[in-house]
Amino acid sequence: MTANNQLSPDELIDVAYEIFIDMAGDNLDPADMILLGAQFEEKGAADLVAVGFDWDEHVGFEVEEDEYAEVVVGLVDEQDELSDVYARLLISKDKDEKFCHILWKQADTE
C-alpha cells in the first residue's frame, strides 16, 4: 500500500466515528446510550491511539501498525483524558480495503 492510498489520521477518525454511530444502538447497553447521547457533545471524543497488542487474538491475523489504525470512542474526564471507552475500532488505513473490527464496551453485570 502506498502512502497516497492511505487514509489521513483525520479521515481514519471520521470513518471510525461514522461506523461507531451506525452500530452503537445495536451494541451498547441502553443506559450507556443514554449517557453517551447526553454527554457526547460536551465530553465526547474519538481519538487515534497506538494499536493495542491484543488485536491479533481478536481478528485472527497479525496486525501491522503500518496497515491498520486503532480509534477509541468515549467520554473524557475532568483531566481531558478518555476515561469511559465505549468502543475500540481497528480499521484499515488503505482507502480501498473496507475492514473494521470493533470491541464494544460490555454492560456492567453485578
Side-chain angles (χ1 to χ4, degrees):
M1 167 178 51
T2 65
N4 291 340
N5 205 38
Q6 281 195 348
L7 295 167
S8 72
D10 287 341
E11 290 172 323
L12 288 165
I13 291 169
D14 289 346
V15 166
Y17 182 70
E18 287 178 28
I19 293 169
F20 170 81
I21 291 299
D22 286 346
M23 298 182 71
D26 294 331
N27 292 282
L28 291 174
D29 186 67
D32 283 328
M33 286 299 298
I34 292 168
L35 182 63
L36 188 64
Q39 296 187 358
F40 197 82
E41 189 169 323
E42 183 180 320
K43 294 183 174 186
D47 291 323
L48 203 56
V49 298
V51 174
F53 66 90
D54 60 335
W55 280 111
D56 294 3
E57 66 189 60
H58 293 295
V59 296
F61 59 87
E62 187 174 336
V63 175
E64 301 288 337
E65 268 197 81
D66 57 330
E67 295 178 22
Y68 296 91
E70 181 173 339
V71 175
V72 292
V73 179
L75 300 174
V76 296
D77 59 18
E78 295 78 27
Q79 289 78 35
D80 216 24
E81 294 179 16
L82 199 59
S83 60
D84 196 2
V85 175
Y86 286 85
R88 295 174 54 210
L89 297 91
L90 181 71
I91 60 176
S92 174
K93 292 181 178 181
D94 188 328
K95 291 179 180 179
D96 297 327
E97 184 182 344
K98 304 298 182 201
F99 174 87
C100 179
H101 190 88
I102 305 173
L103 298 177
W104 294 97
K105 177 181 179 179
Q106 299 299 306
D108 294 330
T109 55
E110 295 180 22

